[in-house]
């Protein structure tokens, strides 16, 4: 029997896998401050629109340092401006 998409992201405790981490990505805000589109960021970094969109919408489960470095270089920013952690 196939599981629904919602059931597939739950672990053995029944917790939603997306809620396990408290990391928040602020790519949308930084892009707005820099007056840059996701399309332009994709073009300048070589990172796919799909992967940037996952970061922008906070659906990413991980990010490579090379990806983070490329984004920071193009946006002239730091990881601290792009990523924060929510309080427990």
């Amino acid at each position: 029997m196939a599981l629904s998409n919602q059931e597939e992201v739950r672990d053995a405790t029944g917790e939603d896998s997306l809620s396990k981490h408290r990391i928040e990505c602020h790519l949308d805000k930084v892009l707005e401050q820099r007056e840059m589109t996701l399309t332009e960021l994709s073009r300048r970094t070589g990172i796919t629109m799909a992967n940037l969109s996952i970061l922008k919408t906070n659906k990413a489960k991980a990010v490579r340092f090379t990806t983070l470095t490329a984004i920071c270089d193009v946006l002239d920013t730091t990881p601290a401006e792009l990523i924060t952690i929510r309080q427990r």
Side-chain angles (χ1 to χ4, degrees):
M1 179 163 129
L3 297 174
S4 72
N5 286 344
Q6 186 175 7
E7 291 171 325
E8 289 178 292
V9 296
R10 299 205 179 272
D11 66 10
T13 66
E15 186 173 303
D16 186 327
S17 64
L18 294 177
S19 65
K20 283 187 175 185
H21 71 79
R22 300 183 337 267
I23 301 297
E24 292 183 352
C25 182
H26 306 289
L27 182 58
D28 55 343
K29 293 175 187 171
V30 176
L31 283 170
E32 186 177 319
Q33 290 168 352
R34 305 297 192 276
E35 297 180 352
M36 186 181 294
T37 64
L38 207 61
T39 303
E40 177 67 10
L41 182 60
S42 176
R43 186 187 67 74
R44 292 178 61 183
T45 61
I47 301 167
T48 66
M49 288 283 293
N51 285 337
L52 289 172
S53 180
I54 288 167
L55 284 171
K56 184 179 173 184
T57 58
N58 278 300
K59 294 181 181 176
K61 294 181 184 179
V63 61
R64 290 188 173 142
F65 287 152
T66 53
T67 299
L68 189 55
T69 300
I71 292 169
C72 286
D73 285 349
V74 168
L75 294 176
D76 191 29
T77 191
T78 65
E81 189 176 0
L82 284 173
I83 299 170
T84 58
I85 188 164
R86 288 189 311 269
Q87 294 288 329
R88 291 183 195 194

